[in-house]
Amino acid sequence: MKQKANRFLSYVLAGVLLVGLALSLAGCAGQVQSSPTPPNNLEAEVDRPSTITETEGDLAGYNSENYTDQMRVLTSSKVTFCSMLYGTSAAITADGTLWMWGDNTYGQVGNGSVENVVSPLQILDEVVAVVQGNNRTAAIRRDGSLWMWGGNSVGEIGNGTNINVLTPVEVLNDVVSVHMDYNLTAAIRADGSLWMWGINGNGQIGNGTTEHILAPIKVMDDITYVSLCWDRTMAIQSDGSLWVWGENGMGQLGTGKTTTVNGTTIFDDGLVPEKILDNVSSISTSHYRTAAVLSDGSLFIWGGIGFDSPHTPVKVFDGVKYAVLTDYTTAAVKRDDSLWMWGGDMYGLLGGNSHSNPVKMLDNIYYVHLEEDYIAVITDDCKLWMWGYDEDGILGNGGGNTVDSFGNSIQTIPALIMDQVSNIQIESASIFLFRALALKNDGSLWAWGESIGYGYDKFTPSKVLDDVLTSCVCTLSPLNTAVIRSDGSLWICGDNSDGQIGDGTTQNAVELKRILS
């Protein structure tokens, strides 16, 4: 195996607070093919080396005497990965050092205090992946050990307590992937076993109870993929079987199990894993719905708002490569790379009319990002197309082609926004912030939409920076933008109330500032 991170997935799931959506695609230029299942910024998978080198000194203690030396090392090493969430920032440099700064209310920076940190601090070495969750941080080191720290109200750190953890603690070994959703944590080990801990109010850990779990427990074997979403868990085994458990209020588990209470029928939560499909190649989830594509290309969907929605898997389409969905609309890319959509016509997504049957929208699809009110598509010729609700100029075409009954500007047909696009990120932070970043094949970064961090709104794409690393992850948090340039330097702008920019101050920055390297 190569000594490097295999994949750093950067899709921030919309949660109860809808903290933001940062979708990364590295690919029209040919670097990384997008995953059929939308990647999650709250998870990471790593390819570990076959030879392990022991190292000394897990933590770099912070004091005024060694801080200058730490900064000297940091600025001489290239940044290979960055992440920002809830006002806390993290970066991994080429030598495997993990640096963190920003909001530290729960100890998620990992330096032993709860004081906010306004400049990068060295936290761990030999790190190949870092994952930020709800007020906590997880890191996988090169030897496969999983270290966690930060908020721990229901045992989500996994150290056997429910007390916040202010410095990294090792919770599991031989880990190849870690996944987090709100206060739930899961890890897959090299032997394929799935381990889970943390919140369990709906049985989402799958151990037959609803009691919170303070330390990792083994749930299943032979797991190749796990998804944590909205208090339910879904796992795919190596034979392609799909197993589900957890919250089932709208039939989203697909088990079909119900109970009648005082004349009212309700769906039963699943407290242990239950198999519902075989030969599954990918899945997609929204709050109340689930879709699965089988190896033969058949698409099954279940769950949804309203008791009349299917509460067991129903086949709806054939010849599908992958699908994405919201609670109201479904988009499927077929094996011939055509895009088909159906469901509710939220803000003109389906051309102005709802459709119960799939309607062809575009050909030659490379990537699809679907929201409830807009959609972004990259075709295989590197063209970016968008349509739907033009809130805050998120579509980037200067305004829609019509208005809806409420006077909202909407685009009912695909609008060409840019060409030569290799990476697109879209952020929807609650109802207050809509913006997009696009990386072109020439390394230039372009932005549009609501501008927190650029000084003014942009209703059409405007170039922000050149020489951006074409294969990097440009990570968004609700009020920040971070970019890694081709020289390995890290640039950040936006809100700095918690010191998350890392420039030693708490002053907001309306332009990208060079922070590291």
Side-chain angles (χ1 to χ4, degrees), residues 21-93:
L21 199 58
L23 185 102
S24 172
L25 160 67
C28 205
Q31 295 91 347
V32 180
Q33 182 69 29
S34 58
S35 169
T37 300
N40 171 7
N41 165 333
L42 305 182
E43 57 189 47
E45 300 179 13
V46 297
D47 191 3
R48 297 203 317 277
S50 55
T51 302
I52 303 300
T53 301
E54 294 186 359
T55 59
E56 296 181 358
D58 296 325
L59 299 180
Y62 167 68
N63 58 50
S64 59
E65 294 180 355
N66 66 18
Y67 184 66
T68 301
D69 289 338
Q70 291 180 18
M71 287 302 297
R72 178 181 55 77
V73 173
L74 181 58
T75 56
S76 65
S77 184
K78 290 185 177 181
V79 176
T80 58
F81 176 77
C82 65
S83 176
M84 302 182 74
L85 187 65
Y86 293 118
T88 306
S89 303
I92 300 175
T93 47

Side-chain angles (χ1 to χ4, degrees), residues 317-336:
F317 213 25
D318 284 306
V320 175
K321 181 187 293 186
Y322 64 91
V324 292
L325 49 70
T326 70
D327 283 340
Y328 304 97
T329 308
T330 305
V333 176
K334 300 194 73 173
R335 289 178 170 178
D336 64 1

Side-chain angles (χ1 to χ4, degrees), residues 229-230 232 234 252 284-291 302-304 324-329 372:
C229 183
W230 299 100
R232 71 187 188 275
M234 299 191 172
Q252 59 266 49
S284 177
T285 60
S286 67
H287 193 169
Y288 296 122
R289 300 175 68 216
T290 307
W302 60 96
V324 292
L325 49 70
T326 70
D327 283 340
Y328 304 97
T329 308
E372 289 186 353

Side-chain angles (χ1 to χ4, degrees), residues 425-437:
Q425 295 185 317
I426 300 174
E427 179 185 42
S428 303
S430 186
I431 60 174
F432 305 109
L433 178 62
F434 296 82
R435 60 175 175 165
L437 293 179

